[in-house]
Each structure stands twice: as C-alpha cells, then as structure tokens.
Amino acid sequence: MSLLESISSPADVRRLRASALPDLCEEIRALITETVLRNGGHLASSLGAVELIVALLRVFDFSKDKLIFDVGHQAYAYKILTCRRGRFSTLRTWNGISGYPKRAESPFDHFDVGHSSTSLSAALGYAKARDLLGQDHYVVAVIGDGSLLNGMAMEALNCAREVNTRVLFILNDNEMSINRRVGGLAEHLARLSVHPTYLKLKEMVKEQCRLLPKGESLEGVLGKIKSQLKTILQPSNFFENLGLSYWGPFDGHDPEELEDIFRLAKLYEKPLLLHVITKKGKGYSPAEKDPARFHGVSPSTLEGKKEEVSWSAAAAEVAEAMAESDPRVVCLTAAMMEGTKLASFAKRFPDRFFDVGIAEEHMVTFAAGMAAGGLRPLVFIYSTFLQRAMDQLVHDTAMQGHSVLFALDRAGLVGEDGETHHGVLDVAWCRAVPGLTLAAPRDRRDLEFLFSHAYQNNKGPLVVRYPRGCAPAEICRAFSDSPCAPWGKAEILFEGTEWVCLGFGSTIPLLLDVRVLAAERNIPMPTVVDLRFLKPLDEVLLQHVLARHRLAVVAEEGSLAGGIGEAVAELAGRLATGVKVRRLGVPDAYVPQGTPREQREYCGLTAENVLKLFHD
Ligand SMILES: Cc1ncc(C[n+]2csc(CCOP(=O)(O)OP(=O)(O)O)c2C)c(N)n1
C-alpha cells in the first residue's frame, strides 16, 4: 500500500512522521500529474503548492478552521488529502470533482472560488464573523503573487488594519501569474525576497519557533525584533506600511520549516502576512521549464494534436493585421495573453501591447482613456472576467461614447472549468447598456469583418462575442469571396416554411443541424436567421420574418433571462402578428462542469429539442 493510500483524512496527515512527508508529497504530485494529463486542468500551480498544503493540514484543523484559496486552481493536493482521493480521477468531469474549491463538494471547502483575488476579503469576513459570534477558529487565506497584485486584493489589504483581528494571509510567491507577473509591486516582492533584513527577520522568527515565548506576548517579542532590525536598515515594506505584520520569505517546499512558522503564526493575534517562495510546476520538469504552458492544460494540446484554428487565435490574427495597417491600434489583456493567443501580437508590437496583470477594471478604463486620447484599443477579455469590469464598461466607456473594441472570448458555456467561468451573462448585461453595440460572428469571415470595420462603422464600445473552441472558416457563404452582410444587419441563411429559427454565433451550426434533421423526419424545413447584431437588433429584418411564420424559435448560448429570445418575444408582442416565440438558452441556474456538449444538453440546446418545438 502506498503512503497516500493509507491517508483517508487530514487526521492521517497529522499522524505521519515528518520524515515521511517528502515521500507523501511525491506521491501526491504523481497523482495530480497523471490525473491532469488525462482530464486537463491546472497543473503547474497545483504542483507548486503541495508542501504548503501538507503543512497547513498538519498545523490547522480545517474541519473547524477556515481555509480560503485564491482562484482555487492550486488546491488539488488539498482535495486529495481532504477525503476526496477516491474521486479525484473524476476531476473536472460531469458530476465529478470540481477543479476549484466548492462548498457543496466538501465540508473542508469554505468558500467557492474561480475568479482571482477574492480570498483576502472573504477571509476578513470570516474572521469578523468569528469575532462577533464569539467563536474561536483560525482563518487562513492562500493567495498567489499574481492575484495579490489585483485591485480587490489591495482593497482587502488596506482594510486589514481596520478589521484588526487574527487572520493569516499566506502569499504563495512563484514570481508568476500565468505569464510572468507584471508591475511595480511585483518588483517590490522580488526585492523583499532577497533583502538581507528580511532574510535576517526570517531567521529570528524561526528562532522564536524554537523558543516559543513564555510570559511575554508574541507580538511584543516580534515587535522588539523588528525595531532592532529597523534601526539597522529600515527597508520599506509595503505590507508593514499598510499596518500588516510581514514575516518571510520562507521556503515553500520545506514542510518542516512551514510547519514551524504556521505554529508560531497561530499565536499571533493580528493580521499577519507570511511570504512563502515556491516554484511553479515543482517536481514535473516540463512544467518547471515552461510553467505558462502547463498553467492550464487540456489533453488535446498535450497530445500535440494539431488544433483547428480557435476563435481566440482567429481574433488575435485579425488584431495583428489591423495593427499592421493602423498605428493607432493597441491590444490589452489582463494576464490572459496565453488564453487569448496574443503572444505573437506582443512580440511584433511590444509598444502597442499591454498586459496589465489581473486588473480587469483598470484595463477597461485604461482602454477608455486610450480611446479618448485618440488610440484604437482592442480589449481581449473572457466574458466571465468582464463581469469584474461592468461599471468601467458602463460609466467609463459607453456613457462617454468611447470607441473601444471588446474581443469577448469564451462567451457561452465553457466546459470543464464549470460554474465560475461560463460566459453567459454578457448578452443580458450588454443589452441594458445604452450606446453599446453587441455582435456575434458565426464564422471567421464575419469575425474579420466585424473587427476590421469596427472603427469606421461604430461609435462607442463594440463588443464582439465568440465562444471557446474552434472557429469555422466559413458557414453558408456561396463563394469564397462573397461579401459579409452589411454592418448592423441580420442575415437569412436559408428560407423555409412555417417556422423560423433564429440564432447567433455558436447556435448557428445547431440550427443548420435542425434543418437536416427536419428533412430526415419530413418536418418542414425552417427558415434560419443569423442575427449577427444583438444590440441594436435588426428590427426591419425581424419584422419581416416574424410576420411570415407561425412559429419562431430563438436559440442562444447565453442566459434566457434578459437574452435575445426575450427581445424577439417583446418585438413579436409589439407587432401582434400572432407568431408564437419559443426560447432555448441557459436557464436560471449555474450550469455544472462537464464537456460543452453535456452542458448544451443540460440547457436543452440540441437539434432534437429544437425540433420538438415544431409540434408544440
Ligand atoms: C478575475 C480573474 N481574472 C483572470 C483569471 C485567470 N487566471 C487564473 S489563475 C491566474 C494567474 C494567477 O496567478 P497567481 O495568483 O500568481 O497563481 P499561480 O498560478 O502563479 O500559482 C489567472 C490570470 C481569474 N481566475 N480571475
């Protein structure tokens, strides 16, 4: 029996001899690597946090104490050691173990995560609840250096001094976000890691672990140490300046050192930040060498399968072409250069490429400022992360009419990342923003058309939404050079009888399947309309098709509430033609993880289902 097989709960981890920990960590790494290479997931971050998690589980009792991971993509070892080893092979599959901490999954998970930089705020909230309710557990947050450099995390750090209670922030510093972390504070972290004073402080704190103070308060002893140090060198420390205590940096791959420090930290009664240095991808050499590539992996990329052109790659290619012919074109990303495929743009146009770090709010207003100043900014952002920057989209961009092109990636159901990462709210939200244009291409031809004509045809923000996955080169184009439909116009792809199916973007292939299936079943083939522009809708064409059919089915990969089906039903009501409108889309629920196909089935977005509506 392997060491790992002998562990069924955190109590077993606590019972192990310290000398067994390196072997345990190795076994955990092997299980994580094998599972992620098969199922996909976040490999490098999880491999880097193994010793940290083992040490935390040996010092704290997370059946009572609270642990909040930031993003949660580094928590696989925690899942394995908190009674989920047996189900770990189902990672990221339908009904399987989630890729992120989830309260519904385990009593050891204390806060659901997926989006970054929430852990410090949630931990402060938990700590305050504990104090006011007269409870006595510990509260710990684990945050990466990339996530720490975000505005939300900064707001929490700023608040920590006011909350002024026992809470432990562990900064898991591997010098990386997905790519290298960026910005001034990143430099500061690097300086802290090597500054002699802090290395000396680390030795002093470790010394205190051996002689845990008797009689005197820990704060008092450490306060004296620090004032001695300050008279020697007085380096500036961002965290100390905010009123937080800072200890570190410590070796994040030495479980015994970590245990000692955590035991000491338990005695500390105030907000404390422990700076721990780890290596992203630790123990798996391909990931150590190329942590960005192994940040999030999917089995197909690892098998080296030649991927068809993804929507992201197609969009990035158009951006490059635009930048070539127009020096005003610039591209922005919030720490998602890999996912949005902007590496080649960054290389070719380094002065016109901006990775702002995980800072979506800043990015959108930064882009609005650039537009106001005469540039043509392209903001590459996942739909789910635009949720962070809705106010900046409304208040700083649309309300002022700034022309910013939003390349809205992963708009729709995203598959294995699950609930936290779906891009299904953008249509409903964008519909409500005055002055904003929202469009969705069905193929690469229309994507290119929308991007390259954006600045001639559009004033104010233009959001072009496209899903995860590969982008069809052409759908329903008579000739390879037939022009796209005009700006602002919907397009009838096929004429049919009795009923019309309306869709956009990723639901167009589905509606074409409906025609095939209808022909097979001797059901009248529907008219198929690609709406293309979702705001404003092409009401002229819509009026025309609604008047000519008895039934209209709208299929959308977005939330039904506030979606395009509602807009069409509202228009049909206004026209009073008697056409019946049926809507398919994402229901009022958080769609579980699984393959995109399983998720579409869950939402009823299948050709079979559309066909059933004909007899409704
Ligand atoms: C708001 C938000 N933006 C972007 C992301 C995508 N994302 C996931 S992990 C990650 C990098 C996090 O870096 P860090 O906190 O240093 O953790 P590491 O992966 O280095 O362990 C990013 C950008 C996200 N999850 N949430």
Side-chain angles (χ1 to χ4, degrees), residues 48 113 142 163 177 235 240 277 297 402 404 474 480 493 498 579 610:
V113 269
V142 173
V163 175
S177 185
E240 296 270 347
I277 307 295
V297 295
H402 295 309
V404 176
E474 290 184 352
S480 61
L493 303 183
E498 287 196 52
V579 62
V610 177

Side-chain angles (χ1 to χ4, degrees), residues 100-349:
Y100 302 97
K102 223 180 196 185
R103 285 177 314 147
E105 186 179 284
S106 165
F108 288 101
D109 289 356
H110 303 291
F111 205 75
D112 294 13
V113 269
H115 289 197
S116 87
S117 317
T118 60
S119 63
L120 306 187
S121 304
L124 287 172
Y126 254 123
K128 210 66 220 175
R130 170 199 62 206
D131 297 350
L132 292 176
L133 298 173
Q135 300 164 344
D136 189 32
H137 48 258
Y138 296 93
V139 180
V140 182
V142 173
I143 186 166
D145 50 310
S147 302
L148 183 82
L149 306 177
N150 165 278
M152 243 197 106
M154 290 296 141
E155 289 166 33
L157 287 178
N158 190 42
C159 177
R161 174 199 180 119
E162 310 303 321
V163 175
N164 195 24
T165 187
R166 192 178 65 206
V167 63
L168 178 59
F169 297 158
I170 298 174
L171 168 58
N172 173 18
D173 181 356
N174 55 23
E175 297 186 358
M176 298 288 289
S177 185
I178 293 178
N179 294 101
R180 279 202 89 70
R181 66 184 180 206
V182 293
L185 194 55
E187 286 292 307
H188 182 65
L189 290 182
R191 277 199 298 276
L192 284 185
S193 305
V194 293
H195 199 286
T197 304
Y198 286 100
L199 294 174
K200 200 161 174 192
L201 170 66
K202 165 184 150 169
E203 288 313 313
M204 288 175 157
V205 172
K206 278 172 72 180
E207 179 65 15
Q208 289 307 312
C209 294
R210 284 187 282 278
L211 326 157
L212 282 179
K214 294 189 191 73
E216 208 171 347
S217 81
L218 183 64
E219 281 84 348
V221 175
L222 292 170
K224 267 190 225 151
I225 294 175
K226 285 199 184 169
S227 58
Q228 283 165 22
L229 276 173
K230 280 193 180 132
T231 55
I232 314 171
L233 273 165
Q234 287 202 322
S236 131
N237 175 318
F238 176 76
F239 305 105
E240 296 270 347
N241 290 345
L242 282 175
L244 271 148
S245 291
Y246 167 95
W247 302 355
F250 300 103
D251 177 356
H253 296 301
D254 178 343
E256 288 187 59
E257 172 166 320
L258 291 174
E259 265 186 59
D260 284 346
I261 302 305
F262 294 161
R263 283 188 210 290
L264 194 68
K266 276 175 107 170
L267 301 173
Y268 206 67
E269 289 296 330
K270 292 190 185 299
L272 171 63
L273 185 132
L274 292 185
H275 189 176
V276 164
I277 307 295
T278 59
K279 185 157 188 56
K280 199 160 176 169
K282 174 85 176 168
Y284 179 60
S285 66
E288 283 192 20
K289 282 194 202 112
D290 191 352
R293 175 160 178 249
F294 285 88
H295 176 87
V297 295
S298 70
S300 64
T301 40
L302 286 168
E303 282 161 19
K305 272 191 202 152
K306 181 123 185 58
E307 263 194 11
E308 291 173 62
V309 181
S310 66
W311 282 102
S312 314
E317 201 182 307
V318 184
E320 258 184 71
M322 288 167 71
E324 230 166 76
S325 60
D326 186 343
R328 292 166 296 180
V329 168
V330 294
C331 274
L332 298 94
T333 175
M336 298 303 286
M337 185 178 81
E338 297 293 321
T340 56
K341 300 275 187 262
L342 285 173
S344 159
F345 186 103
K347 217 165 163 191
R348 273 184 74 184
F349 304 103

Side-chain angles (χ1 to χ4, degrees), residues 345-403:
F345 186 103
K347 217 165 163 191
R348 273 184 74 184
F349 304 103
D351 298 343
R352 292 196 269 153
F353 171 77
F354 303 88
D355 177 355
V356 298
I358 310 177
E360 288 82 3
E361 305 98 304
H362 158 65
M363 172 170 63
V364 173
T365 305
F366 186 31
M370 287 173 159
L375 292 177
R376 295 187 156 177
L378 273 59
V379 169
F380 282 76
I381 186 166
Y382 287 11
S383 169
T384 191
F385 301 139
L386 182 63
Q387 292 172 193
R388 274 283 165 90
M390 279 311 291
D391 187 50
Q392 289 72 15
L393 179 63
V394 178
H395 175 272
D396 300 333
T397 315
M399 203 178 285
Q400 306 182 37
H402 295 309
S403 293

